[in-house]
Amino acid sequence: TMLKKVLLGSLGAVLVLTAGILLGHFGIQRGSTTPDWHLSHDRSLVPMCLSRELTKVPHMATSPGDEKTVQYMLKRWQDPDTGLDQAWREEYKVYLSFPDPNTPNKVTVGDPSDAVLYTAREKEKAYSSDQEDPEVVQPYAAYAPAGHPKGRLVYANQGKPSDYFLLNQTLDLTGTIAITRYGGEGRAGKAINAAPYGVIGVLVYTDPWDINDGKMSDNNETYPYSWYMPPSGVERGSFNTHYGDMLTPYLAAKDDTYRIPEKNITGIPPIPTQPIGFEDAYALICDVKLDIYNREELKNSANVMGVIRGSVEPDRYVIYGNHRDSWVHGAIDPSSGTSVMLEVTRVLGRMVKQGKWRPRRSIIFGSWGAEEFGLIGSTEYTEVNNLNQSNVIYKIPVYIISNATLRASGSPSAQSVILKASKQVKTPGSDSTSVYDNWIRYFNRTSPAYGVIPNVGFLTGAGSDYAAFIHFLGITSMDISYTYDRTKTRARIYPAYHTAYDTFDYASKFIDPGFTSHQTVARTAGNVLMRLADSLLLPFNCSDYAETLEGYLNKAMELNTVLEYPVPAPISEPLQNAVRNFRSAATRLDQLVRDSDLANETPLKVRRINDQLMLLDRAFLDPGAFPDRYGFRHVIWASSKAGQATFPGLADAYTRARSTGLDSDWKEAHRQLSILIQAIQGAAHTLGDAI
C-alpha cells in the first residue's frame, strides 16, 4: 500500500504524526488504505507555544505584536529540520479602523449644565499584568464613525428592527442614544437599524444573563475566580456586515488596486457606536454623551503561507487555515487554533524533511491576518489566487473554548470524514470512550440513513474565515472545535471572548486545564487532514448532501414556502423533482465507487470521480442569487432571517412576500425558487456521467 502506517499522537496536548510511507511510481494506484492510528503522550509543547510566543503580548492586526507573530510563524515554517517545503508572507494594504490612542473614546453622563456626573471606564479593570500591557487596545467599535452625540438614553433590547419598531410606537426616538445588548442582531446592525428612527448614537454591552448565567460580582463570582466575564469586561469587535477589505470589493487589496470612495462603503454603523461593560451599562441614566474618536487607516497586513507539495496530485490542494490576529492577547481566539496548526506543521514538516512521507495532494497552510476586522486576510487570499478548479477543501479554524465535547460544522459531503476521524481518537481523560461517543451525548440528530449520530452543523452566515471559501468560491469547508456543555450554561460563547481577559492564565485555569482538549482536537483535526490529503478517493459522501437537501425540502413543504404562490402553475413539483434527481445521481455515483476497484483502475477514472466530489459545492453557486448581500453566492448556505433549516433565499423571499403581499415580492420569491431548482439540477448533473 502507499500508506503503510501513520501514527498520530500528542506533544504537549497536541499532535505528533509519525509515518512510514511507500510511494510507488504511480501512487494514485496505491493510496486506498485507511491509516492506522496509534497514540503516544507528552504534554509540554502547546502550553509552551501559548505562553512563550503566541499570547505573550497583544497582537491586534498590524500591531508590533502581530508582526512578532508573523516572524514566529515564518521561523517555524522555514525551519530546516521541521519546516515546510516553502513558506512566505503575502502583504495586503487594507482598510482598518482604530481608536485614537491619544484621545480615548468616552461615555459620560451629564446634567443639564453639562457637568459630568459619571464616566464609563476607558479600559477594563486589571487583575494581572496582562491587562496592564500598554498595547491593550481600548474597547471600541471598529468602523463606527467619530462623533459627539448627546441625548436621552433608551433601552433597545438587542437592537433588532423589531425592537426599534416597537419602541417607536410609544417613544419619539429622534435625538436619543440607544443602549443595546449583544445577541439577536449583528454588531453593525444594532446601529444600522437605529439610524432610520433618528437615533444618534448606540451603546452595546454584554448582559450577564446572556454570558455569565447572571453572575456579576468580581469579588467571588467572575474572573479571576471563574471563567465568567468580570463587570468591566467589554467585547470588542468589527462593526461591519460585509467581509473582506471594504475599499476593494471582489479585488485583492494590493497597493495599486482601485479603491472605492470611503463614502460608498455600506454595511457599517452610520452613527457613533461604543461597546461598554455591564457595570457601566447598569450605571448609565438620563442624558448620555458619546465622544468617539475612531479613525480609519490603510495599513499593511500580512498572511503567512506555507506549503507541503503533493507527490501524486500536486495541483490538488487541501487548505488548512487559522487566523493569527487577536483583539488583545487572544489565548483562545485565535491562539488555541494557531498553536495546534503549528504543531501539526512541525511534525508533518519533520517527516517530509526526513524523507519518510509526502502527501498525495498538496497541503497549503494559511495564517490569516486582520480576521477580526472582517475576515480580511482569508478573503483577500481568495481574491488574488485562482482556487476554483484545484482546491479540494478548506479546513477552517480549530478553537478550544472549553473541555466538554467536540463540535463541528461543515459541508454535508464532509460529514463522514469528520465522524470517522472522531471514532479513532479518545476523549480527554478516557482510554475507552471515543470522541465520537462523547460527542453524540452533547450534540446529536437522527439521520434517516444512519440513525442517531453526532450533529455536524452547517456553515451558514459569515462567522469565520470559511466565508469566502464556501459562500463566494463554493469550496467544501469544515470547522472543528472543542466546546462546553451547553446544558450547564446559557453563555452564547466563552465569557472572555474579545476581552482583555482572554489570556494564557484564563485558558489554563478555566478553559482547558492540562490542555487535554487541545490534544484531542489536534489529533482529530490531524486525522481529518491526513485523510483529505492522502486518500486515493476523496473522503466525501454526496449522499449525505442529498439527505440535507431532502431535510431542507421537507421543512420548506412544512412551512408552505412552495405551495402558496399566486401564480398559475404548480411550482412545488419542480423543486421536489430536482431534489429527487440529486438523490438519484448521488446514489449512482456511490454505486459506481462501490463497484470499482479504484486502486487498480486508470488514474483518470479516479481523478474524474474526485473532481465530481470536489466540485459539488461549486454547482450551488449563483452570482445573481443575492445581489444585495456582498460575497454570498451559495444558494444552500447563505444565512437566513427566517430562522429555519431550509433553503435560505427561498425562505426569506417567501416570508417577505407573505408579510407585504406585494406582487414584486411574490415575483422575487418565484425567482428564488427558480434559482434554487436550477442550482440543484446543476449539482445533480455534476455527479452524473459526462455527456
Side-chain angles (χ1 to χ4, degrees), residues 517-534:
S517 295
H518 284 69
Q519 167 190 340
T520 300
V521 172
R523 290 156 70 187
T524 305
N527 189 309
V528 171
L529 180 62
M530 296 290 281
R531 290 173 179 274
L532 294 170
D534 248 347

Side-chain angles (χ1 to χ4, degrees), residues 148-171:
H148 308 278
K150 179 180 179 181
R152 182 165 47 98
L153 191 69
V154 296
Y155 176 69
N157 192 29
Q158 294 178 322
K160 303 186 296 291
S162 58
D163 292 328
Y164 290 112
F165 177 81
L166 183 63
L167 271 176
N168 197 53
Q169 302 305 301
T170 55
L171 293 173

Side-chain angles (χ1 to χ4, degrees), residues 20 22 29 84 108 114 137 176 195 200 252 267 282 320 352 393 545 568 629 666 674 684:
L22 299 177
Q29 298 176 314
L84 308 178
T108 56
D114 287 335
V137 68
T176 63
I200 58 174
Y282 277 73
Y320 181 167
V352 168
I393 188 167
Y545 221 125
R629 302 188 61 190
W666 280 112
S674 298

